[in-house]
Structure formats: C-alpha cells, structure tokens
Amino acid sequence: MSQVERRRWPRSSDTGLDANPPLPPALEPLRFSTRDLALSDQFAAWQAYLAPLIDVRLPDGVSAEAGFPADHTAWNLGSMLVVQQSVPAHSYARSAAKLRSNSIDHWHIVLLRTGRSWTEFDGKVSEGGPGKVELRSLGHPFRGRATDTQSLSFYMPRELFLDTAVVNDIKNNMVFSDTYINLLIDYLGSIETKLTSMTAPDLPRVVQTTRDMLVTCLSSPTGNTDPEKPQSNLALMERVRRFVQRNLSSQNLTPDTICRELGISRTRLYQLFESSGGVLHYIQKRRLFSAHVALSDSVNRQQILEIATAVGFTSAAHFSRAFSKEFGYTPREARNIAAPPFLARAVSPVHMKDSSNPFGNWLNSLGH
C-alpha cells in the first residue's frame, strides 16, 4: 500500500489573501506655482510665499510686468523638508530683520541642477552650481543672487545634529565638491526619485541616513577649513543653541547661566545674538515653537498649562499673550493645527489648508 506523501510546508494561498498588502505612499506634496497667475502678479505671489524664509528681489532692469514663472514643490518627512524648485533669475536675502521676525534656524542644503548662485555671509562669497552642494544656516543673515535655476534642497533642524561632535565645527556658507559630495549628490537624487512611493516606515530611515551622510561630509578633511573669525563665532553659537534647546524647561535658563556654563562673557553672548533680536528673544522663540508643536500634536493630551510649564513659562497669562502675538492665534486654537512629530510621520498639506502660508508653518514646526 502506497504511503501518502506529507507536505512539509503549508500550501501557499492561490488567492493572495494571506500576503501582506503593500503599504500606501506616505507623502503628499505641497505645490505652489505662479504660472496660472497674471504675468504682473507672479513675482509678488512668489515674494509672499517665500516671505517666512527670505526676501526676494528681481535683478536690476527686470520688470515684474514681464512675469515670473516659478514652481515650488515641498515634501514633509516629519523632521526634514525636501523642496524641488524652478525659478528665474533673482536676488535673495535673509536679513537681520527677517531673523528677528522669524527665528527659524535650520540648516539648508542646496543642490543646483542647473544655473549658478553666489551667496555672501560675513563678507565671504561662495559659488554654487551643478556638481556642488551648498550648506548655509538660516540662523544667520546672508544674501545672494542666482541665475535661472532648478534645484533640490533639504531643510534639516539643528536638533538632528546635537549628538555629534561635528556640530561645533560646522561652517556656514560652505560649498562642497569632493568625492564624498559626489556620493551625497547621488544619494540626494535617489531620495527625489522615491518621494512619491515612500511609506511611513521609510521616513525615519531616510532622514537618519541623510543626516549620517552629511555628518560624514562635514567631517571630511577636504571640507572648507579656513580658520576665520566668523566661523569661530558660528561654532560658539552652535554650542549656545544646543545648550538652549536642551534646557528649555529650566527656569534658570538665563544669559548669566549660559555664560557661566559655556565660559563666555555677556558681551560676547549678546553680540552673537544681536541679529536675532537678543538671546532672551531667541530663548522665548524656541520655547514658543516647542509649545506650538506639542499643542498641535494630536496624540499629546497634556493641558495647555502643563505644556507651557514644560517649555519654561511660569505664567499662563504671559504664555498666552506671547503665543498669540507670535502666531496670530491662541494656544487653544493651535490644538486644531497639525504639526509633525520629530522623526515620526509626514504631514499632508490638507491639514494646512486654512493657513495663509503652509510652507512657512512647515518650516516653523520642523524638528520638534
């Protein structure tokens, strides 16, 4: 009598019901274009859209009536923004006044696909172009000009680099073009091609890998290592920013405490933050931004007073007044505005549909 053969493995399902369904894409782009506007309105619309970040001007002799066909597509990975941009020739500036009105201080990494740019920081001009990667700080004034360009850029909060030694040696307004940068350019380009298909589990890994590659490039001995005074100031400011961010909840976070802990004079500290409206102004801004992100986090069930206390405010009335002045709405109203958890999930533009400038909101909430 023949013996029936026993199967060692379960029969695979022919219907596919047992297979794990693929995860849906996580990112929804935030698109802005001036092309559908009247020619005379295009440049003013572009200025208003980028107003939270920079002031934009036309080149000498160019009239706004001629039109300004520009495109801007942003992708929010929770703690990193990716921006694809096509824009005609223009000049740009992040002035001291802009820093005082909007104290976002992320790192901005720019990869030009076409065109050229020239950016000045403290008298030093760097030239960007295809095959190079520019790195500049939004926490310092700068200005520049560009030809017609197509670019891919990344906005990354300083908090991503707080646990690295390289953050104290990082230099503003750098342009890289060595072997490491060729690898970085290839990697950044690969991110761009996958934006439409990234799933939620992909996002933290992509951000972490991007951060690690940047740290490697910044640590490269072939980088810009000119020992100039402005770069020394930048390194010291990075130390102050790290200290402030780590001690936001402390009632003892004062200029005297910072000077004592970091071994610097009050005069030097005030000079460092003069363009940002002063060190106390900077501290309050960081506290308000941290509170805003906590308030607009749908999974955070803390009371408003608890959040205010957690970021260093001792008076509920003072917190409410300062918050309303900064954002134009109350802490209670902020409960209805979505913001990205740090290294967690993307934010869809639909959550920002009632905002006058969702890109500005993304920049403000990035990295908390």
Side-chain angles (χ1 to χ4, degrees), residues 3 6 27 37 51 77 120-121 153 187 192 217 245 263 268 271 279 284 288 295 304 316 321 329 360:
Q3 186 176 5
R6 295 183 178 181
L27 299 178
L37 302 175
L77 280 68
E120 179 193 351
F121 164 68
S153 62
Y187 173 72
E192 183 179 25
C217 292
Q245 193 63 37
R268 184 82 185 279
Q271 288 174 343
V279 65
Q284 176 160 298
L288 289 171
L295 287 166
I304 292 176
R321 286 194 302 270
Y329 43 82

Side-chain angles (χ1 to χ4, degrees), residues 5-78:
E5 180 183 359
R6 295 183 178 181
R7 292 184 178 273
R8 293 180 178 270
W9 308 104
R11 185 187 300 274
S12 61
S13 172
D14 294 333
T15 64
L17 296 178
D18 295 335
N20 292 327
L23 294 175
L27 299 178
E28 181 180 349
L30 175 64
R31 302 186 189 277
F32 178 78
S33 177
T34 65
R35 296 179 185 275
D36 293 332
L37 302 175
L39 292 180
S40 59
D41 296 334
Q42 289 180 351
F43 183 67
W46 184 255
Q47 280 184 310
Y49 194 71
L50 292 187
L53 179 64
I54 54 174
D55 296 315
V56 184
R57 296 184 182 277
L58 288 169
D60 293 341
V62 176
S63 170
E65 301 298 319
F68 196 82
D71 300 292
H72 188 281
T73 301
W75 307 77
N76 195 331
L77 280 68

Side-chain angles (χ1 to χ4, degrees), residues 79-92:
S79 57
M80 181 173 74
L81 299 186
V82 182
V83 173
Q84 301 157 304
Q85 179 174 289
S86 175
V87 63
H90 64 284
S91 63
Y92 50 88

Side-chain angles (χ1 to χ4, degrees), residues 62 85 103 119 121-122 136 176 220 227 233 253 264 287 366:
V62 176
Q85 179 174 289
S103 58
T119 305
F121 164 68
D122 270 346
R136 64 179 67 112
F176 298 92
S220 170
N233 287 341
L253 184 57
I264 60 176
R287 283 174 163 161
L366 183 67

